[in-house]
Amino acid sequence: MEIPKTHPRYESLMKREKIIEALNKGILAKAGLIAHGRGETFDYLIGEKTTPIALKSIKVSAAYLVLAKNPVISVNGNTVALAIDEVVELAKELNGKIEVNLFYRTKERELAIKKEFEEKFKEDIETGKIKILGIDDANKQIPNLDSLRGKVSEDGIFSADVVLVPLEDGDRTEALVNMGKKVISIDLNPLSRTARKSTITIVDELTRALPLLIKYVREFKNKDREELLKIIDSFDNMKNLKEMIDYIAERLKNLSLEEL
Amino acid sequence: MEIPKTHPRYESLMKREKIIEALNKGILAKAGLIAHGRGETFDYLIGEKTTPIALKSIKVSAAYLVLAKNPVISVNGNTVALAIDEVVELAKELNGKIEVNLFYRTKERELAIKKEFEEKFKEDIETGKIKILGIDDANKQIPNLDSLRGKVSEDGIFSADVVLVPLEDGDRTEALVNMGKKVISIDLNPLSRTARKSTITIVDELTRALPLLIKYVREFKNKDREELLKIIDSFDNMKNLKEMIDYIAERLKNLSLEEL
């Protein structure tokens, strides 16, 4: 389907096309399409732009990532479908570690995702600028998760101090936090268990949040440790989530049905 | 996947399974999965139960359907996937007319849906208790809609006075209203164009709303015309939608993140 760039819902419709294409390529499970729809509604309620509330959590996340000794970006089918370029760009600002971590893990999907990275970022992989973990080396186990969903790479999530999990599920988020890791999630639903269990929750759409995260990671590399710790200490995730919920509720109340 | 009945999200997960099964059968377009996800979020925000506000619009809809001379139930892939039994039960309380009307119309999908009805309701079709229109007889055109989406049956939607459109899109809803028809939509998004353009909007989940609609249609057959007209006249759809939006906003504000 051709969508004209002038269409008022161009961005949203393009993302929908990308998601369907990823299903066709075997990158995405069918349930991933339903999950995308859930996100669409929350983004619509937020107003399809990054709120000042989300920007605060993005800055704190950037501080965590810059201070991290061994950060890892965890990716699933939806993340690869929507934001593979942004994930790679962010990884290259860090230690290059990207780990594939699927909710419905099958060999076919793992390989389809691996192929997608290898086709688009052959040189970055060959020169070691990025490492795609979690497929051939998922030999460790996250405690208190069933075996398939808990499989992780020793070099990757297992030993990471900070894990960025875009679009993660609640169980795994909680299990990672229980392992003592700092978990940064990107989740459009401020009420989800993922949102509530994460160390920091960025309530924003993935392809808007990641470029901002990259921008602040670059900027914060020039700040000293004390300054970054101050940014981290001033943040309260539950308070931020509550602000986000109130923001949505206020926005709903003030919408005029006639003007929509 | 086996889901235990005791699972707190059993209903929602079962619907998800039905939706994926319908995709596998060719009943549903891939975009139908994304649409289902959008609905899931709104249902979650509503609290996954029929509100008193929705019940009001269900009663008014029942009054319209009982008074109608030529009511038609329009169905698409998502409706068939989730609520084929309820649609047939309601049709049998009326004149039996069900019309297949797809947003992404392909011969394959039309036939997959026809097959689904024929397999499950062979006797009802053969005895004429229900009629599946819109596949072999979609020879008329709704004005101001592109040709594929505007195709309708002369016996069905084209000549109907009241059309029930579960999960319809905004363009078609508006075009039907512009033809002078009373349009009853079932839509979980109170802000959608469908919701705002319909004569009556039931903001509720399909498989909860339809049994209630059936119940009130049965009950209202015993009421006289004057009484039903009074129910209709007392209703203001925009006011009802606004109440629904306020309900969601209040519910959001009062949710305690710790107790979720």
Side-chain angles (χ1 to χ4, degrees), chain A residues 137-142 147 150-155 158-159:
Chain A
D137 64 338
N139 302 322
K140 286 284 178 177
Q141 186 68 31
I142 304 174
S147 61
K151 280 174 81 166
V152 280
S153 156
E154 182 162 13
D155 270 353
F158 192 77
S159 60

Side-chain angles (χ1 to χ4, degrees), chain A residues 1 16-17 19-20 23-24 30-31 33-42 44-45 104 189-193 196 237-239 241-242 245-246 248-250 252-260, chain B residues 1 16-17 19-20 23-24 30-31 33-42 44-45 104 189-193 196 237-239 241-242 245-246 248-250 252-260:
Chain A
M1 186 163 58
R16 216 175 277 174
E17 293 287 301
I19 282 288
I20 290 177
L23 180 75
N24 296 341
K30 283 162 191 160
L33 265 79
I34 302 178
H36 182 74
R38 287 197 296 277
E40 271 191 5
T41 292
F42 277 109
Y44 171 84
L45 293 175
Y104 299 102
N189 177 0
L191 302 158
S192 75
R193 228 154 59 77
R196 290 177 286 120
N237 199 50
M238 276 297 178
K239 187 165 159 270
L241 285 175
K242 188 71 190 138
I245 293 166
D246 289 344
I248 295 172
E250 277 306 312
L252 267 173
K253 272 188 175 284
N254 295 326
L255 279 175
S256 158
L257 279 170
E258 287 73 19
E259 284 167 23
L260 270 174
Chain B
M1 185 163 59
R16 216 175 278 175
E17 293 287 301
I19 282 288
I20 289 176
L23 180 74
N24 296 341
K30 284 162 192 162
L33 265 79
I34 303 179
H36 182 74
R38 285 197 297 276
E40 271 191 5
T41 292
F42 277 109
Y44 170 85
L45 292 175
Y104 299 102
N189 176 1
L191 302 158
S192 76
R193 227 154 61 78
R196 289 177 286 121
N237 199 50
M238 276 297 177
K239 187 165 159 271
L241 285 176
K242 187 70 191 140
I245 294 165
D246 288 345
I248 296 172
E250 277 306 311
L252 267 172
K253 273 187 174 286
N254 295 326
L255 279 175
S256 158
L257 279 170
E258 287 72 20
E259 284 167 22
L260 269 174

Side-chain angles (χ1 to χ4, degrees), chain A residues 76-117:
Chain A
N76 64 6
N78 290 63
T79 305
V80 171
L82 292 173
I84 191 170
D85 295 335
E86 293 87 343
V87 163
V88 168
E89 199 180 337
L90 177 60
K92 283 159 82 175
E93 290 295 329
L94 307 170
N95 55 2
K97 290 186 184 179
I98 296 165
E99 180 159 343
V100 178
N101 206 323
L102 307 178
F103 189 83
Y104 299 102
R105 191 186 274 265
T106 65
K107 202 70 218 164
E108 291 71 33
R109 284 225 296 139
E110 287 181 330
L111 294 179
I113 289 175
K114 194 181 176 186
K115 193 175 149 208
E116 188 77 0
F117 275 106

Side-chain angles (χ1 to χ4, degrees), chain A residues 2-3 9-10 24 33 39 50 62 72 75 79 88 101 119 131 138 159 178 180 183 190 206 212 227 239 248:
Chain A
E2 275 296 315
I3 304 160
R9 303 200 50 71
Y10 178 78
N24 296 341
L33 265 79
T50 303
V72 174
V75 296
T79 305
V88 168
N101 206 323
E119 279 179 8
K131 296 168 212 65
S159 60
N178 287 343
V183 178
L206 193 60
L212 289 166
E227 215 173 335
K239 187 165 159 270
I248 295 172

